[in-house]
């Protein structure tokens, strides 16, 4: 009788008896230690991956025979290698996008600074002449008002003194 743990952690008893030919997901015998691929096997698989990262059943069988591995091991190696390749591609794309973003951000910051400078120039160009015209008119108006006021004040004094 075989015992195994379920996903819930409850121990299950299996009456079913399996032969020694049962394989794990990687194609090795169940209970067998996972063996690492040799350098030659990895090189052969890498070379095959460079030719094409998709694995047709024919090619999988040829590689398995040539390298002395189970077809399932070949399939899993290709699947893992595609995942690593995709991660590398994403990292490269991220770096390119990051550089592009930094360049665009620098341009944006430069344009903002230029915009603020031009905005300040426009305000100074329109406001300063207005101030000088306004202050000149204000002085003239003030002088006229004071003169007029003085004249009215003096006329009133003269009238009162004459009566």
């Amino acid at each position: 009788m075989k015992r195994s743990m379920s996903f819930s952690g409850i121990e299950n008893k299996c009456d079913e008896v399996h032969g020694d030919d049962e394989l794990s997901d990687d194609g090795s015998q169940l209970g067998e230690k996972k063996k690492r691929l040799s350098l030659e096997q990895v090189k052969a698989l890498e070379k095959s991956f460079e030719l094409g990262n998709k694995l047709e059943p024919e090619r999988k069988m040829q590689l398995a025979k040539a390298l002395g591995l189970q077809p399932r091991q070949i399939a899993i190696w290709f699947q893992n290698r595609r995942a690593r390749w995709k991660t590398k591609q994403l990292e490269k794309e991220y770096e390119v996008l990051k550089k592009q973003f930094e360049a665009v951000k620098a341009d944006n910051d430069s344009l903002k600074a230029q915009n603020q400078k031009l905005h300040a120039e426009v305000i100074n160009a329109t406001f300063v002449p207005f101030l000088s015209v306004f202050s000149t008119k204000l002085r003239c108006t003030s002088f006229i008002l004071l003169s007029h006021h003085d004249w009215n004040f003096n006329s009133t004094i003269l009238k009162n003194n004459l009566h």
Side-chain angles (χ1 to χ4, degrees):
M1 184 181 308
K2 227 180 195 183
R3 292 179 184 210
S4 65
M5 296 296 280
S6 70
F7 288 113
S8 63
I10 301 169
E11 192 175 300
N12 293 331
K13 294 180 184 177
C14 301
D15 291 332
E16 199 175 316
V17 178
H18 295 285
D20 289 342
D21 59 348
E22 189 175 346
L23 301 176
S24 67
D25 285 343
D26 67 354
S28 62
Q29 299 288 328
L30 274 180
E32 213 180 274
K33 271 194 171 180
K34 217 177 198 182
K35 294 180 185 172
R36 294 180 74 72
L37 299 176
S38 71
L39 186 59
E40 292 79 26
Q41 289 171 324
V42 172
K43 283 181 181 179
L45 288 168
E46 286 289 347
K47 188 175 180 180
S48 182
F49 186 83
E50 287 172 11
L51 296 173
N53 66 2
K54 295 290 182 185
L55 191 60
E56 304 83 27
E58 257 180 61
R59 193 167 79 161
K60 177 172 56 174
M61 294 306 287
Q62 288 172 350
L63 281 169
K65 280 184 183 178
L67 300 174
L69 299 170
Q70 294 292 324
R72 182 78 180 132
Q73 286 176 287
I74 304 292
I76 290 172
W77 186 91
F78 265 77
Q79 184 178 0
N80 291 339
R81 184 62 178 86
R82 278 192 302 273
R84 286 193 310 272
W85 176 82
K86 186 177 180 182
T87 301
K88 292 271 187 213
Q89 290 300 112
L90 288 173
E91 287 172 357
K92 287 177 185 176
E93 289 173 15
Y94 171 78
E95 287 303 319
V96 168
L97 289 173
K98 185 178 175 185
K99 286 178 184 176
Q100 289 174 346
F101 170 77
E102 289 169 355
V104 168
K105 187 174 181 333
D107 287 347
N108 187 32
D109 292 344
S110 173
L111 288 171
K112 280 182 181 178
Q114 188 178 5
N115 187 20
Q116 287 176 342
K117 181 181 172 188
L118 291 171
H119 187 60
E121 287 177 18
V122 167
I123 287 176
N124 287 337
T126 55
F127 193 64
V128 170
F130 172 75
L131 278 181
S132 65
V133 168
F134 179 73
S135 67
T136 303
K137 285 184 178 180
L138 186 62
R139 280 185 295 221
C140 292
T141 306
S142 298
F143 177 73
I144 292 169
L145 286 174
L146 286 174
S147 300
H148 182 68
H149 177 70
D150 288 345
W151 183 78
N152 282 337
F153 180 73
N154 289 337
S155 342
T156 307
I157 292 175
L158 285 173
K159 284 182 188 175
N160 287 340
N161 286 338
L162 291 173
H163 290 306

